[in-house]
Amino acid sequence: MQAVLLVGGLGTRLRPLTYSRPKPLLPLLNRPMISYLLDLLPDSVDEVIVPVSYMSRRMRDYFNSLHDGRNYVVVHEVEPLGTGGALGNVRDHLTDDFLVFNGDIVCSIDIKSLIDFHREKGGVGTISLWEVENPEAFGIVQLDDDDRITLFKEKPRGDEIVSHMANAGIYILNESVLDDILSEKVVSIERDVFPVQVRRGLYGFGFEGYWVDCGTTKNFLTASGTLMDYFGTNVSKEASIGKSVKEEHPLVIGQGSKVSGGHIGPRVCLGKDVDVRAASISESVIMDSTTIGRGVRVVSSIIGENCVIPDKCIVERSVIADDCELEKGDEIIDQKVGMR
Ligand code: GDD
Ligand code: MG
């Protein structure tokens, strides 16, 4: 079976972090976000098609570095064609029923059960579903008693919010669904294809466990915390934490990182070779090779790679791009530093 990974978006809602890397390669608990989706693929998936546009060379290098026995076909999309256009653009590679994954999702869906459900229902497509509190940020569906989708509405507003069951961004589709997608045109599968294909038989598949969309800086931080709550603490054997450090779990600390003093946690992820002198850090992600000085406070923030946060700085509810150096005592509150 084949799977398509939709990873061609520009990741604008994750700027400034996505200026220097494509969204799917953002480190989530120190692994590229996209690797969590690859973990979900059953052995029956032997070919993965990846339409890429933004930072295609970085994406190609990543998929070429994988040696898991699957065939990865990376196809360059000259202009972003939208979620439907991207599928239309790789239609020559696709046969029969295939899986589709939005590339910014991390979840615990069992793909074998999704495939079995789809075959049992016999529709042209099955859409995975997750109940959400804020339907306006997603595509929503209405279902009948047989789990058949009777309505699909992308980003509903006001009285269009008729359900809290959202499209979880993972589908199994029959190749005939692509018939409506014109080649080389910008097409949204959610706005232009699903609402029409409802007539031909789309089904909704709910699942248990966890599901997070990591497509905004706020959601990325939530995803990091959710995964830590789910999988627990993971401190590399090659990290060092001083005896005086007050730890609050869960924590993820990468290889070569050093915490000399202060308070760390809960839900803090340090990348590789992060140097924390004596700081207080909670609910945050600090990426590789960043240095955090004495008396620094970091709360609910993401700090990119190779940054220097000198003594007595305060960083709260903020995002700092890679390679930034703050001044001693800076207060960064509700800001995105390094936006262009
Ligand atoms: N190749 C390619 N080309 N991929 C694209 C393009 C494009 O032009 N545009 C978006 N993508 C990829 C993104 O990289 C992302 O992985 C996926 O398609 C979905 O796009 P988003 O921009 O992240 O959409 P969203 O989060 O607003 O909404 C989507 O996901 C929700 C679940 O998280 C929709 O599918 C909603 O219906 C859904 O509820
Ligand atoms: Mg998204």
Side-chain angles (χ1 to χ4, degrees):
M1 185 177 235
Q2 296 167 303
V4 184
L5 303 182
L6 291 174
V7 291
L10 299 173
T12 47
R13 291 168 293 178
L14 274 161
R15 284 178 184 165
L17 302 168
T18 44
Y19 287 133
S20 40
R21 56 175 87 67
K23 168 162 83 167
L25 300 187
L26 258 177
L28 188 58
L29 305 198
N30 296 337
R31 289 176 56 195
M33 196 195 281
I34 195 72
S35 67
Y36 292 86
L37 287 181
L38 300 178
D39 287 350
L40 297 175
L41 299 178
D43 290 343
S44 57
V45 174
D46 51 5
E47 186 165 75
V48 181
I49 318 284
V50 199
V52 293
S53 53
Y54 181 61
M55 294 198 179
S56 357
R57 191 182 300 161
R58 289 278 295 271
M59 296 299 292
R60 201 180 285 275
D61 288 349
Y62 173 74
F63 287 105
N64 284 343
S65 75
L66 301 175
H67 299 287
D68 56 8
R70 293 196 171 92
N71 185 29
Y72 288 92
V73 182
V74 179
V75 182
H76 184 63
E77 219 174 285
V78 181
E79 290 289 323
L81 291 170
T83 46
L87 290 177
N89 200 41
V90 296
R91 77 175 88 218
D92 291 346
H93 294 276
L94 298 170
T95 50
D96 201 11
D97 287 342
F98 55 89
L99 295 158
V100 180
F101 294 80
N102 281 353
D104 56 356
I105 300 299
V106 175
C107 71
S108 57
I109 191 172
D110 178 44
I111 296 293
K112 277 191 195 146
S113 307
L114 172 75
I115 298 170
D116 291 346
F117 174 94
H118 174 73
R119 301 223 158 115
E120 198 182 297
K121 295 293 182 186
V124 290
T126 298
I127 295 176
S128 60
L129 302 176
W130 188 262
E131 196 168 342
V132 295
E133 281 171 15
N134 53 331
E136 60 283 354
F138 302 99
I140 53 150
V141 304
Q142 266 188 326
L143 294 176
D144 72 9
D145 293 343
D146 188 34
D147 298 320
R148 184 170 170 158
I149 295 174
T150 53
L151 176 135
F152 188 101
K153 180 71 197 167
E154 183 67 11
K155 314 273 158 60
R157 275 186 277 178
D159 57 7
E160 294 172 337
I161 302 177
V162 291
S163 143
H164 283 239
M165 285 312 283
N167 166 18
I170 297 177
Y171 326 118
I172 176 164
L173 302 176
N174 185 265
E175 58 176 326
S176 65
V177 169
L178 305 179
D179 291 349
D180 288 346
I181 299 176
L182 295 174
S183 293
E184 295 167 40
K185 289 271 184 294
V186 176
V187 177
S188 155
I189 195 152
E190 299 89 348
R191 292 178 196 278
D192 307 322
V193 180
F194 289 154
V196 181
Q197 292 290 330
V198 158
R199 272 185 250 127
R200 293 185 61 210
L202 290 176
Y203 287 83
F205 174 82
F207 58 95
E208 311 244 293
Y210 61 89
W211 177 85
V212 269
D213 173 321
C214 316
T216 65
T217 49
K218 193 162 170 250
N219 290 355
F220 179 80
L221 206 49
T222 308
S224 173
T226 305
L227 289 175
M228 263 185 251
D229 283 340
Y230 207 83
F231 294 112
T233 289
N234 181 5
V235 176
S236 163
K237 287 196 189 79
E238 290 159 65
S240 82
I241 302 182
K243 286 209 177 72
S244 67
V245 175
K246 192 160 179 281
E247 295 173 45
E248 250 187 280
H249 295 264
L251 285 172
V252 170
I253 302 187
Q255 194 187 340
S257 285
K258 186 174 150 197
V259 185
S260 312
H263 181 141
I264 184 161
R267 292 178 209 88
V268 168
C269 175
L270 304 185
K272 278 192 275 178
D273 300 319
V274 174
D275 184 2
V276 179
R277 309 273 159 83
S280 162
I281 309 177
S282 61
E283 310 281 350
S284 294
V285 175
I286 318 285
M287 295 185 191
D288 296 357
S289 307
T290 281
T291 301
I292 312 270
R294 287 173 201 282
V296 169
R297 191 166 84 229
V298 181
V299 183
S300 302
S301 295
I302 308 172
I303 302 180
E305 285 178 19
N306 212 22
C307 290
V308 179
I309 314 297
D311 295 355
K312 297 198 164 59
C313 284
I314 295 176
V315 182
E316 280 184 18
R317 297 181 303 276
S318 293
V319 182
I320 299 183
D322 291 342
D323 303 310
C324 284
E325 186 166 346
L326 301 186
E327 300 279 334
K328 186 176 174 184
D330 271 351
E331 291 194 12
I332 308 291
I333 297 174
D334 293 316
Q335 284 186 51
K336 288 188 177 180
V337 176
M339 289 298 279
R340 292 173 201 159

